Amino acid sequence: MQEPQTVKAHDLTFELMISQKEIQTKVEAMGEDLRKKYQGKNPLFLGVLNGSFVFTADLVRAFETTCEVSFIKLSSYSGLESTGEVATVIGLTAEVEDRHIIVVEDIIDTGKTMHDFLPTLKKMNPASVAFATFLLKPDAIKYDFPIEYIGFEIPNKFVVGYGMDYNEQGRNLRGIYQLK
Ligand code: 5GP
Ligand code: MG
């Protein structure tokens, strides 16, 4: 099927911003970058649900070599704007101590979610922590912390697709679509 240029989710229309092809190329490159640094270290990729499930699946396959994958939940977002509240971590059952952790996010907006999660994670004494985000909104960021791997920097607009939703719809879109 040809990639749609516009899509609807609930009452809103979204237009194509990043194509499936561009995404594939980028994620392969990110996997290669990660491999250079983490090959032989059996890193633990920690995907942040729900939004990062698609990106995590592609990124760990692009990484290719030995690694482990786990998911956590820290949802702080409902509707179109960040609520400014970060929920507690759910589902962190993987052994973090002395492991190389790569936190995988769909998108970093204000940065609050990851900024607040970092101390929690560090208390578990990982060998190292790095962040890999598929999207970053540089104009929206308010919290300062290092983000080692960034897919695309995008304008401060609401997007859906590639795992990201608008009130739960749009997650299965192959491309990234911005609010029209
Ligand atoms: P932050 O804490 O960085 O402000 O927000 C991070 C979370 O908000 C992301 O992991 C994502 O779930 C959600 N989010 C931020 N911007 C967008 C967006 O444009 N579209 C969607 N669907 N979710 C977003
Ligand atoms: Mg997220």
Side-chain angles (χ1 to χ4, degrees), residues 76-77 82 105-113 137 157-159 164-165:
S76 73
Y77 217 75
S82 208
E105 260 285 29
D106 49 356
I107 181 164
I108 294 179
D109 184 22
T110 64
K112 181 166 173 53
T113 313
K137 292 179 179 170
K157 282 202 174 169
F158 188 78
V159 297
M164 282 164 270
D165 71 309

Side-chain angles (χ1 to χ4, degrees), residues 74-78 81-88 110 112-114 116 143:
L74 327 146
S75 180
S76 73
Y77 217 75
S78 68
E81 274 177 66
S82 208
T83 58
E85 286 164 36
V86 178
T88 39
T110 64
K112 181 166 173 53
T113 313
M114 285 306 104
D116 291 359
Y143 296 83

Side-chain angles (χ1 to χ4, degrees), residues 21-35 55 57-64 134 162:
K21 188 97 191 288
E22 290 173 287
I23 292 172
Q24 275 169 356
T25 307
K26 180 67 76 178
V27 176
E28 282 304 318
M30 291 179 86
E32 207 177 307
D33 272 0
L34 282 158
R35 205 184 315 133
F55 177 46
D58 285 346
L59 189 65
V60 297
R61 285 177 293 176
F63 181 69
E64 282 177 358
F134 177 64
Y162 201 61

Side-chain angles (χ1 to χ4, degrees), residues 9 160-166 168-175:
V160 294
Y162 201 61
M164 282 164 270
D165 71 309
Y166 165 50
E168 299 307 327
Q169 290 186 1
R171 293 193 194 277
N172 60 334
L173 294 164
R174 296 171 195 267

